[in-house]
Amino acid sequence: MPSDVRPPDGGPGTLGELGEFGLIARVAARLGAPPPPVGPGDDAAVVAAPDGALLATTDLLVEGVHFRTDWSTGHDVGCKAAAQNLADVTAMGGRPAALLVGLVAPAATPVAWLDGLADGLRDEAARGGCPVVGGDTVAGPVLMVSVTALGHPGPRPVLRSGARPGDAVVLLGSLGTSAAGLALLAGGVPAGLDAGIAARLLAAHRRPRPDYAAGPLLAAAGATALCDVSDGLVGDLGHLARAGGVAVVLDGMAALADAPWLADVAAAAHALGGGAAAAAQLVAAWVLAGGEEHSLVGAVPPAALPVVVAAGGRVLGRVAAATSSPGAPGVTVGPTALWSAADAAAAVRRPGWDHFA
Amino acid sequence: MPSDVRPPDGGPGTLGELGEFGLIARVAARLGAPPPPVGPGDDAAVVAAPDGALLATTDLLVEGVHFRTDWSTGHDVGCKAAAQNLADVTAMGGRPAALLVGLVAPAATPVAWLDGLADGLRDEAARGGCPVVGGDTVAGPVLMVSVTALGHPGPRPVLRSGARPGDAVVLLGSLGTSAAGLALLAGGVPAGLDAGIAARLLAAHRRPRPDYAAGPLLAAAGATALCDVSDGLVGDLGHLARAGGVAVVLDGMAALADAPWLADVAAAAHALGGGAAAAAQLVAAWVLAGGEEHSLVGAVPPAALPVVVAAGGRVLGRVAAATSSPGAPGVTVGPTALWSAADAAAAVRRPGWDHFA
């Protein structure tokens, strides 16, 4: 965080100077007028549920774990906090209805950072078509943002557990760009990497932009199971395989070959040096196990494929019956021109990550 | 937190040993089966909204700010985190529908503490008549619990802004018991204080038990404005006065004289020593400005008073037209047999507290 936090207008520079009620008023002003009938400051917001039900999901972002203030602006963090929750709504086939936000912040937090956070939450919520309807702010030793997203379900919520053998496994969105961007932040952008590519990958990590139309589209097409890529492709499809009692066979990854984002990912892997073999390992790890991407993967009946492909979706593989052997992997990945079977196996062995280990 | 965290069964003693997915499975098991159609592990929960709308509110509790692990068990913190959010639902005249919980915890957190937290959240949610439907767990430097409560609104949400001159100001529940309990935790229980009284006050701070029927009851009786006492009676009624553009005149505080909880509060104040004058100051501060009580205060038309009194409510004062003088207090408090006008004025000057100042 910048050390000189004095704003040019002479207003409060830190949260401690602004105070709790000053912060609430300032954030409420930036978030804009809430929907009637309830404004900020009441005990609870009222969220319309025209379908007779609401989707609800909650997530936490902690400074030093999920973001760094020297890598991401407050606006970045606000956008990302909103995006990862709204992606969960779309992963149920739903549309965003409302966000609630909790903020823990040290008294020394620059007000400008908090302004950015509020703006980012508002901007990404607006991109998803929903307002921020409530919140809470308290003091604490590190910055933490909790976001709860509410959503309007479609005619039926699309769960993780519904995939059936014979379904196609499809992807709407990118893979590995957030992980590649994180690697550039951690290791520095190599001199040989095109500046435009670097900027796209850094932005993908700092401000993922989920396609909020993708979930309702796949749900309407008859998707049997959906989830967003938050733990990594193989990790998230593993959840889907276990929940549905099926196996996922990713034997169509060659379908990604012409994806423009894959060219970005491959360029970054090569620019980091180490030769072709090392680059292939990086690409496999980023694409197969990179988290925080918030693209949508799911299982759809083959009859739905024309709709999915027309919407830009790619077929990555298929759902098969689970094998009866204990310990059999829920997800298997074939080799492609981009990585070897050994690279894929290594990436699959580290799906997702454990925050507490 | 206890230093010996090894459980007798030889299972994982700390969160770092248990791991993230172990924690999620363990917490899900303690919370019991979620309502259909969505179980834990899916992207979002589905909450029924039979009235076509849901109330939504969120709060954060941070270790060292809102609780201390040497003062409160995990079960206490879970109960309190649930209670303070569900109290916000009842303060809109609503009934609890669902809780979502976010947990930030260091890897060294004893699993037994987390088990207690989950049990407390479940137990208080059950007391409010609702399930825990979703959550998130992440690592962080300090324990933090974020809770989002959803609620079914009554025929109309009761806002803070509806109070009208001529309404009566009523209280359902106690005042000052949480603040008195906090003082006993901070300063130690004085030798002269009855053990039963001390236990009640300590429990009031550790595990407030809101009356979740109170909000719907007052709403049905025609309440024009409601809020729960979280920042202190004068602070919360000040929010109500400002939101409604009215003044609150607490000229009926003598109605509390025979409240059993007031006897507890007065006994604690006297047992802490310093003489009668110091005790009166403490009672005034605790009753008028003590937070985290989660009783319900509101404005009701005089015609509703028989219903309120029959339900155990007490009339504390009345709503008046706002005076036009700038800086006029939104809330004025008369003297009682328990405290002087000067004690009341001192307590009113410090309503609530600012987390960041």
Side-chain angles (χ1 to χ4, degrees):
Chain A
M1 223 172 284
S3 58
D4 180 6
V5 296
R6 182 64 40 197
D9 64 2
T14 68
L15 180 51
E17 294 166 31
L18 182 61
E20 180 174 4
F21 296 105
L23 173 64
I24 292 171
R26 192 172 177 110
V27 168
R30 299 186 90 86
L31 293 179
V38 181
D42 231 296
D43 296 288
V46 178
V47 181
D51 306 314
L54 278 181
L55 303 169
T57 179
T58 195
D59 267 320
L60 295 158
L61 282 83
V62 180
E63 180 184 3
V65 180
H66 302 94
F67 65 90
R68 288 172 49 161
T69 56
D70 56 340
W71 285 1
S72 296
T73 66
H75 192 267
D76 290 339
V77 175
C79 286
K80 188 167 186 167
Q84 69 179 39
N85 275 273
L86 296 175
D88 283 333
V89 167
T90 197
M92 300 290 286
R95 292 178 294 108
L99 286 188
L100 294 99
V101 180
L103 170 68
V104 179
T109 306
V111 170
W113 197 92
L114 298 168
D115 287 348
L117 181 77
D119 290 351
L121 289 160
R122 176 201 63 205
D123 291 349
E124 188 64 20
R127 213 174 67 81
C130 78
V132 180
V133 298
D136 187 27
T137 60
V138 304
V142 298
L143 282 164
M144 290 185 266
V145 184
S146 77
V147 176
T148 300
L150 304 178
H152 300 299
R156 65 192 168 89
V158 184
L159 311 187
R160 293 186 174 182
S161 55
R164 294 167 304 195
D167 286 343
V169 174
V170 299
L171 166 75
L172 266 84
S174 53
L175 292 171
T177 63
S178 177
L182 178 60
L184 297 182
L185 284 167
V189 177
L193 184 61
D194 175 83
I197 293 175
R200 284 196 293 273
L201 295 173
L202 292 170
H205 179 74
R206 289 171 169 145
R207 293 183 306 280
R209 294 172 67 86
D211 174 6
Y212 299 120
L217 182 142
L218 289 181
T224 55
L226 290 177
C227 60
D228 75 308
V229 179
S230 50
D231 292 340
L233 177 71
V234 170
D236 286 302
L237 287 176
H239 300 320
L240 190 147
R242 280 188 295 279
V246 295
V248 169
V249 181
L250 296 180
D251 54 7
M253 298 294 284
L256 302 180
D258 66 345
W261 50 261
L262 187 62
D264 287 355
V265 166
H270 282 92
L272 285 170
Q281 286 172 18
L282 272 182
V283 171
W286 291 342
V287 168
L288 296 173
E292 301 192 332
E293 190 79 12
H294 303 302
S295 297
L296 201 62
V297 290
V300 302
L305 285 180
V307 173
V308 176
V309 171
R314 293 165 193 270
V315 182
L316 304 185
R318 56 192 167 84
V319 179
T323 64
S324 57
S325 54
V331 184
T332 52
V333 186
T336 72
L338 289 159
W339 57 68
S340 69
D343 295 339
V348 169
R349 276 196 298 274
R350 47 182 283 277
W353 50 305
D354 185 322
H355 279 110
F356 300 113
Chain B
M1 228 171 281
S3 58
D4 179 6
V5 296
R6 181 65 40 199
D9 65 1
T14 68
L15 180 51
E17 294 167 32
L18 182 62
E20 180 173 4
F21 295 105
L23 174 64
I24 292 170
R26 192 172 178 111
V27 168
R30 299 186 89 87
L31 294 178
V38 181
D42 231 297
D43 296 288
V46 178
V47 181
D51 306 315
L54 278 181
L55 303 168
T57 179
T58 195
D59 266 321
L60 295 158
L61 283 83
V62 180
E63 180 184 3
V65 180
H66 301 94
F67 65 89
R68 288 172 48 161
T69 55
D70 55 340
W71 285 1
S72 296
T73 65
H75 191 267
D76 290 339
V77 175
C79 285
K80 188 167 186 166
Q84 72 179 38
N85 276 273
L86 295 175
D88 283 334
V89 168
T90 198
M92 300 291 285
R95 292 176 295 109
L99 286 187
L100 294 98
V101 180
L103 170 68
V104 178
T109 306
V111 170
W113 197 93
L114 298 168
D115 287 348
L117 180 78
D119 290 351
L121 289 160
R122 177 199 63 204
D123 292 349
E124 189 64 20
R127 210 173 71 80
C130 79
V132 180
V133 299
D136 187 27
T137 60
V138 304
V142 65
L143 280 165
M144 191 201 81
V145 184
S146 77
V147 176
T148 300
L150 305 178
H152 301 298
R156 66 192 167 89
V158 184
L159 310 187
R160 293 186 174 182
S161 55
R164 293 167 305 193
D167 286 343
V169 174
V170 299
L171 166 74
L172 266 82
S174 53
L175 292 171
T177 63
S178 176
L182 178 61
L184 298 183
L185 283 168
V189 177
L193 184 60
D194 175 83
I197 293 175
R200 284 195 293 273
L201 295 173
L202 292 170
H205 179 73
R206 290 172 168 146
R207 295 183 306 279
R209 294 171 69 84
D211 174 4
Y212 299 119
L217 183 143
L218 289 180
T224 55
L226 290 178
C227 61
D228 75 307
V229 179
S230 50
D231 292 340
L233 177 72
V234 170
D236 286 304
L237 287 176
H239 300 319
L240 189 148
R242 281 188 295 278
V246 295
V248 169
V249 182
L250 295 180
D251 54 8
M253 298 293 284
L256 302 180
D258 66 344
W261 50 262
L262 187 62
D264 286 355
V265 166
H270 282 91
L272 284 170
Q281 287 172 16
L282 273 183
V283 171
W286 290 342
V287 169
L288 296 173
E292 300 193 333
E293 190 78 11
H294 303 301
S295 297
L296 201 64
V297 289
V300 302
L305 285 180
V307 172
V308 175
V309 171
R314 292 165 193 269
V315 182
L316 304 185
R318 58 194 166 83
V319 178
T323 64
S324 57
S325 54
V331 184
T332 52
V333 187
T336 71
L338 289 160
W339 58 69
S340 69
D343 296 338
V348 169
R349 276 195 298 274
R350 48 183 283 277
W353 51 306
D354 186 322
H355 280 111
F356 301 111

